[in-house]
Amino acid sequence: MDIVRFIFTISLLTLVHAYGRYQPTWESLDSRPLPSWYDEAKFGIFMHWGVYSVPSFGTEWFWYRWKHDKAPSFVEFMKNNYPPNFEYADFGPMFRAEFFDPEAWADLLTKSGARYYILTSKHHEGWTNWRSNVSWNWNSVDNGPHRDLVGELATAIRSKTNVTFGLYHSLYEWFNPLYLKDVANNFQTQDYVKEVLMPELYDLINTYKPDYLWSDGESGPDTYWQSREFLAWLYNDSPVKDTVVTNDRWCNNGCVCHHGGVYTCNDRYNPGKLQNHKWENALTVDKGSWGYRRDVDINSYLEINELLFELASTVSCGGNMLLNVGPTADGRIIPAFEERLLQMGEWLSVNGEAIYSTKPWRAQNDTVNKHVWYTSKADAVYAIVLEWPDTDELTLGAPISSNSTLVTMLGYEGKFVWKPASDKGGIMVHFPAIAVNQLPSKWAWVLKLENIK
């Protein structure tokens, strides 16, 4: 950082501290410290749930792919399965959520080991999972389930769990006439923002008080979205001003990966190296869709070993992992998704010490063994070993040992024997013969290294 920028930053922070107000500029908004709960949490669950869960075909962008892109597979799907005059709005009453049990979802979240949760309050289709006063009859209270899905989940999660509650909200709506009119006017008019977007955002924050507002659909400049003005209110005057976390999807003119609380950069973002700003890897169990879809087989889902790689590499490099599953239109988490979440929770119940509230170490991926990622906490370093070694010895190139170095495995009693790998550093850890049914976890194992450099 050059001296002029340094002096400007210090002056800005002094001004914010003195007056306790964030200004509607990116310089001021970006100076807000990230609430500590988020970095400590490390792992969250995302759920995309809306009218697209009814056709459950192809992608949560079903409406757009069908009507805008006129993609042949989507057109053919509708032709073969629905009457000629069937419109997307006709799916609304079919989104009934008849098996939805918010307390069961809350219980699953607890068992998954997740520390925060994000629900789609509104996706790009415009349907809202609460009774939005600016989305008449295109919401879950006036139509479909006739239930406040956001409110029921907020209540269940806050009363039954220690999981932090958050909401996803799309800025734009593909086919909203007001938005399309503003686009046609090159974003010089703001009818959609004034009549739809801002009323919804203020309503969501004041009514449900989410501690994470996950914005998306940033197609338009920040001057059009009024992003800076809204965020200034959110940070200064909202009921969650001290705890709320935001992401970076607030405009298409330089916001993504540059402005906001947490950088998501793009879907499934995992740079594989340490970043200088807090970031998030939002990814899906279903490799091809954020919403539930029926036209898949088991190979379409990430396996637990793949998910643990994502978690280990993400946390090692200073990020959080936000794992998405798509509920069905009738309100179920299908067994394949449930299994993945339970597997994550099973692993974290043993190895969470190496994930929660950790910090990046001086090395992320080991210099010798690429199947090992590091985290740290206090005086301990954790080596997350994604593949059990082929022999009874595992060489780690990054640690520098001392005479008092101690090596143990989380969930396993006893010390591991080790020796220096070479005069230049590294250690060679002896893995004892352990019966499969005595392994501390079924996938990925964590060595706790103490008194090393």
Side-chain angles (χ1 to χ4, degrees):
M1 180 183 293
D2 60 58
I3 188 64
V4 174
R5 185 180 175 191
F6 175 77
I7 293 173
F8 175 77
T9 301
I10 294 300
S11 300
L12 182 62
L13 289 172
T14 302
L15 183 65
V16 169
H17 177 75
Y19 293 97
R21 305 287 294 179
Y22 293 98
Q23 303 304 309
T25 65
W26 287 121
E27 291 81 5
S28 177
L29 297 170
D30 290 345
S31 73
R32 177 180 181 260
L34 189 71
S36 60
W37 72 260
Y38 178 81
D39 182 57
E40 294 169 1
K42 304 300 182 187
F43 174 51
I45 298 297
F46 211 173
M47 288 188 187
H48 277 63
W49 197 30
V51 174
Y52 45 83
S53 305
V54 178
S56 52
F57 176 83
T59 171
E60 75 285 356
W61 279 55
F62 180 92
W63 191 7
Y64 194 86
R65 297 284 286 138
W66 172 33
K67 286 296 187 181
H68 181 273
D69 295 343
K70 301 188 186 304
S73 62
F74 290 80
V75 172
E76 194 69 16
F77 173 81
M78 290 305 299
K79 179 181 177 181
N80 292 338
N81 295 284
Y82 296 92
N85 296 322
F86 194 95
E87 295 295 337
Y88 191 77
D90 296 321
F91 283 125
M94 301 167 69
F95 179 50
R96 292 191 291 267
E98 61 265 37
F99 296 130
F100 171 53
D101 180 349
E103 293 194 2
W105 284 25
D107 181 61
L108 179 59
L109 290 174
T110 297
K111 291 176 178 176
S112 76
R115 294 292 175 87
Y116 64 104
Y117 171 75
I118 310 293
L119 172 72
T120 45
S121 65
K122 181 187 78 171
H123 198 253
H124 312 321
E125 65 184 6
W127 171 277
T128 65
N129 280 325
W130 86 102
R131 190 172 195 165
S132 167
N133 291 329
V134 294
S135 186
W136 180 81
N137 205 40
W138 193 235
N139 67 75
S140 67
V141 178
D142 294 329
N143 201 336
H146 297 289
R147 297 170 66 175
D148 179 359
L149 304 178
V150 170
E152 289 188 35
L153 269 172
T155 298
I157 290 171
R158 286 170 172 153
S159 63
K160 301 292 183 180
T161 79
N162 293 318
V163 176
T164 299
F165 181 76
L167 291 171
Y168 166 108
H169 183 271
S170 173
L171 295 175
Y172 73 8
E173 297 175 17
W174 290 315
F175 302 114
N176 189 299
L178 293 175
Y179 174 69
L180 294 177
K181 174 176 161 294
D182 289 346
V183 172
N185 290 329
N186 198 29
F187 298 110
Q188 297 306 302
T189 56
Q190 294 178 297
D191 292 350
Y192 169 78
V193 173
K194 294 175 181 177
E195 296 183 33
V196 177
L197 176 63
M198 284 303 152
E200 282 187 345
L201 284 175
Y202 283 100
D203 184 24
L204 276 179
I205 297 299
N206 287 319
T207 303
Y208 302 107
K209 302 175 179 59
D211 284 314
Y212 194 164
L213 181 60
W214 213 98
S215 183
D216 195 19
E218 66 283 1
S219 180
D222 56 356
T223 50
Y224 170 71
W225 294 121
Q226 298 180 7
S227 302
R228 290 169 293 164
E229 292 78 7
F230 172 75
L231 289 173
W233 170 81
L234 187 66
Y235 296 165
N236 290 323
D237 301 310
S238 79
V240 288
K241 61 185 177 65
D242 296 323
T243 57
V244 71
V245 169
T246 62
N247 64 344
D248 56 348
R249 301 187 184 191
W250 293 99
C251 70
N252 70 352
N253 58 328
C255 290
V256 176
C257 232
H258 289 91
H259 297 303
V262 174
Y263 292 173
T264 61
C265 299
N266 51 64
D267 294 349
R268 304 172 181 86
Y269 177 65
N270 188 354
K273 60 182 180 180
L274 186 63
Q275 302 296 295
N276 59 12
H277 188 96
K278 188 63 187 181
W279 60 281
E280 185 172 75
N281 178 6
L283 74 158
T284 56
V285 173
D286 180 340
K287 301 173 187 177
S289 177
W290 295 82
Y292 170 67
R293 57 178 182 155
R294 293 172 291 166
D295 55 322
V296 294
D297 59 28
I298 197 64
N299 295 319
S300 298
Y301 300 142
L302 291 176
E303 297 180 356
I304 184 60
N305 287 326
E306 295 173 294
L307 295 178
L308 291 176
F309 161 77
E310 293 289 344
L311 180 66
S313 58
T314 294
V315 175
S316 292
C317 297
N320 279 20
M321 186 173 98
L322 181 59
L323 181 63
N324 179 85
V325 296
T328 63
D330 57 24
R332 293 173 296 116
I333 310 298
I334 63 169
F337 291 159
E338 181 181 17
E339 180 185 56
R340 294 298 183 274
L341 298 188
L342 292 175
Q343 288 171 331
M344 291 295 296
E346 181 181 344
W347 189 85
L348 285 164
S349 70
V350 175
N351 301 292
E353 180 183 335
I355 299 296
Y356 304 126
S357 301
T358 58
K359 299 294 181 184
W361 190 44
R362 62 171 173 80
Q364 281 68 61
N365 198 198
D366 188 64
T367 54
V368 172
N369 193 316
K370 297 304 179 182
H371 298 297
V372 175
W373 294 83
Y374 293 102
T375 61
S376 67
K377 184 189 299 180
D379 295 327
V381 172
Y382 302 94
I384 304 172
V385 182
L386 297 176
E387 292 188 7
W388 193 269
D390 293 331
T391 67
D392 60 0
E393 289 186 327
L394 176 71
T395 300
L396 302 176
I400 300 174
S401 62
S402 67
N403 291 333
S404 57
T405 292
L406 177 65
V407 180
T408 56
M409 177 178 284
L410 296 185
Y412 183 78
E413 294 185 3
K415 302 175 183 178
F416 276 42
V417 175
W418 65 273
K419 60 183 178 182
S422 71
D423 294 338
K424 296 181 180 179
I427 61 175
M428 187 175 295
V429 180
H430 176 75
F431 272 52
I434 305 174
V436 172
N437 62 356
Q438 294 181 333
L439 287 172
S441 60
K442 298 174 185 175
W443 333 267
W445 303 267
V446 178
L447 296 177
K448 183 176 181 178
L449 313 177
E450 299 174 82
N451 301 318
I452 64 166
K453 297 180 182 179

